Amino acid sequence: MAWVGATAREIARAVRRGDASATEVVADHLDYIRSTDRHLGAFRALRGPRALAEAEAVDTLPELTNLPLAGVPVAVKENVAVAGERSGADWPHVADADHEVVRRLRGAGAIVVGTSRMPELGLWGTCDDKEIVTRNPWRLDRSPGGSSGGSAAAVSAGLVPIAHGNDGLGSIRIPAACCGLVGLKPGRGVVPAGIGANAWYGLAENGILATTVADAAVGFAVLAGRRTHKLTEPGRLRVAVSLHSPIPGVSPDADNRAAVSRAVRSLVGAGHSAIRAEVPYPKRLGAVVLATWTASSYLDSRDLDYSELQRRTRRHVALGEQAVRTAEVTSGQRTRWRGQALSWLGDYDLLVTPALAGAPLEAAEWSRRPWRANLVANMRYAPYSAPWNVAGLPAIVVPSGVRGDGLPAAVQLVGPPGSELMLLAVAGLLELSAPWRRHAPSWPRAPRSRS
């Protein structure tokens, strides 16, 4: 398993140069997944024979030297169509064509080795279903977050070097924070969405999870259909720093406050200015989020058997049906917050907030617990991500030290429209000044003897 644990850029460079074949890289990762994923439950379906056949095809491509992800194994979150695979555990149909982001990954030379698990309908910041509880490689008694929890667990344990995820209220950034990864949610319209019935009223975006900023940059460039992923050092930035939570009564714990302090010190040390400036979250923002969240679940579930849904999901869907019928979800509410956020952010180049308010939740059968218990737990530990989906702004989570309990700590960076590369560049400064552990301790478990 010589290539397990390598970065996407290392793998792609080796395959382009002929130092390795896509076939051997994919075979290494498939063997590793088969031997270790029973501890994590990261994958819904493994595409062993198909993935190997696709890797062999990549090895014969005449344009191999131009592929930015040549031979790179990737996981794709199960709510996005991969040809020949079921989209999610509860979706009744096998996809007959790839989603556009999957097509772009394949076009860049990546090999989809499997689909990653998520909670039912992608609704929660934990990751479990009636079959299995997906676990965090940093501590198996903790959740990898959600809803892109399977993708995050797979990357953190080295099962794949990068993974696709999507993010409607934090579903890339929350797992990235829980698992010590870089997780980028692009701004609205930058990457094709096409998620569910209406991409959660435009809140949901496809993005990338990676162990390094460089891998996140190339993954983002591929998903966005861009030819270059080169990052340039930003000029002197005016950085707003806010610990204020959008959920009244919720505040970050000491470990998350310390993560922000570490990141800010690094940015100031690199020559940027930092200003404490609390985000003016509207009082009704929580109600807007809840109505949009529940209504999205109702629209996404209309082709499913309601009686077969989890108890918490049925409650969510019922509330969503009411929100749709009473027209509680309006574009005007979201547009007003976007305008307010842009106006406030206009005085700064980017915003730094905690990524989480508390520690990752326990790895448990949350799907068997009441809806209210799920709601309260999610709001208390992960309040910081949702506002930026509503505003449609790009945001990235970056590791920032380790908590006292041994789990990773992280910060969130938010920027104006079109600032994805700037956010990645700032994340790169943080990585350079305070390098993080790329994989969870003791993972990958396979020996790595690559020359």
Side-chain angles (χ1 to χ4, degrees), residues 194-204 295-296 299-300:
I195 304 161
N198 64 359
W200 286 25
Y201 292 87
L203 271 61
S296 299
L299 296 178
D300 285 351

Side-chain angles (χ1 to χ4, degrees), residues 85-173:
E85 303 295 336
R86 284 203 308 169
S87 294
D90 299 297
W91 272 255
H93 305 298
V94 173
D96 57 7
D98 287 333
H99 186 287
E100 176 60 19
V101 295
V102 177
R103 189 189 69 79
R104 292 183 181 188
L105 288 168
R106 292 192 197 275
I111 311 299
V112 180
V113 295
T115 55
S116 61
R117 291 180 183 270
M118 68 178 193
E120 191 168 67
L121 299 184
L123 291 176
W124 303 102
T126 52
C127 193
D128 67 285
D129 55 33
K130 59 187 177 183
E131 295 179 359
I132 201 167
V133 174
T134 302
R135 299 181 180 277
N136 191 325
W138 283 73
R139 266 182 51 182
L140 297 182
D141 66 337
R142 292 289 172 168
S143 173
S147 65
S148 305
S151 285
V155 175
S156 183
L159 276 62
V160 288
I162 60 172
H164 158 269
N166 42 48
D167 187 316
L169 293 174
S171 289
I172 288 173
R173 289 161 291 155

Side-chain angles (χ1 to χ4, degrees), residues 9-228:
R9 291 188 71 190
E10 289 171 340
I11 290 170
R13 185 184 302 115
V15 171
R16 288 194 299 265
R17 289 178 177 176
D19 296 334
S21 70
T23 305
E24 68 176 290
V25 170
V26 169
D28 277 355
H29 284 80
L30 287 171
D31 286 345
Y32 179 54
I33 294 168
R34 292 189 188 102
S35 68
T36 60
D37 193 41
R38 64 181 182 273
H39 302 293
L40 299 172
F43 281 89
R44 174 74 64 188
L46 200 58
R47 305 180 66 250
R50 291 182 182 182
L52 285 171
E54 291 163 11
E56 291 172 1
V58 166
D59 284 327
T60 66
L61 292 175
E63 68 272 23
L64 183 64
T65 56
N66 297 319
L67 299 178
L69 292 176
V72 175
V74 301
V76 171
K77 187 176 178 180
E78 62 178 324
N79 64 344
V80 159
V82 176
E85 303 295 336
R86 284 203 308 169
S87 294
D90 299 297
W91 272 255
H93 305 298
V94 173
D96 57 7
D98 287 333
H99 186 287
E100 176 60 19
V101 295
V102 177
R103 189 189 69 79
R104 292 183 181 188
L105 288 168
R106 292 192 197 275
I111 311 299
V112 180
V113 295
T115 55
S116 61
R117 291 180 183 270
M118 68 178 193
E120 191 168 67
L121 299 184
L123 291 176
W124 303 102
T126 52
C127 193
D128 67 285
D129 55 33
K130 59 187 177 183
E131 295 179 359
I132 201 167
V133 174
T134 302
R135 299 181 180 277
N136 191 325
W138 283 73
R139 266 182 51 182
L140 297 182
D141 66 337
R142 292 289 172 168
S143 173
S147 65
S148 305
S151 285
V155 175
S156 183
L159 276 62
V160 288
I162 60 172
H164 158 269
N166 42 48
D167 187 316
L169 293 174
S171 289
I172 288 173
R173 289 161 291 155
I174 294 168
C178 290
C179 294
L181 302 174
V182 180
L184 174 65
K185 179 199 81 71
R188 189 169 299 154
V190 175
V191 171
I195 304 161
N198 64 359
W200 286 25
Y201 292 87
L203 271 61
E205 307 291 345
N206 287 304
I208 207 79
L209 291 136
T211 64
T212 69
V213 172
D215 277 4
V218 67
F220 164 69
V222 168
L223 294 185
R226 300 180 180 182
R227 293 187 177 182
T228 180

Side-chain angles (χ1 to χ4, degrees), residues 244-248 278-290 332-342 344 383 386-388 390-391:
H244 177 50
S245 167
I247 304 295
E278 303 301 357
V279 181
Y281 299 113
K283 291 182 178 179
R284 282 194 50 78
L285 183 58
V288 173
V289 168
L290 182 61
Q333 296 170 326
R334 300 189 296 276
T335 301
R336 279 193 293 275
W337 164 235
R338 177 179 170 86
Q340 292 169 352
L342 288 173
W344 181 83
W388 312 110
V390 179

Side-chain angles (χ1 to χ4, degrees), residues 234-256:
R236 190 170 187 270
L237 300 174
R238 184 174 168 86
V239 180
V241 182
S242 177
L243 300 178
H244 177 50
S245 167
I247 304 295
V250 175
S251 59
D253 65 14
D255 286 311
N256 283 293

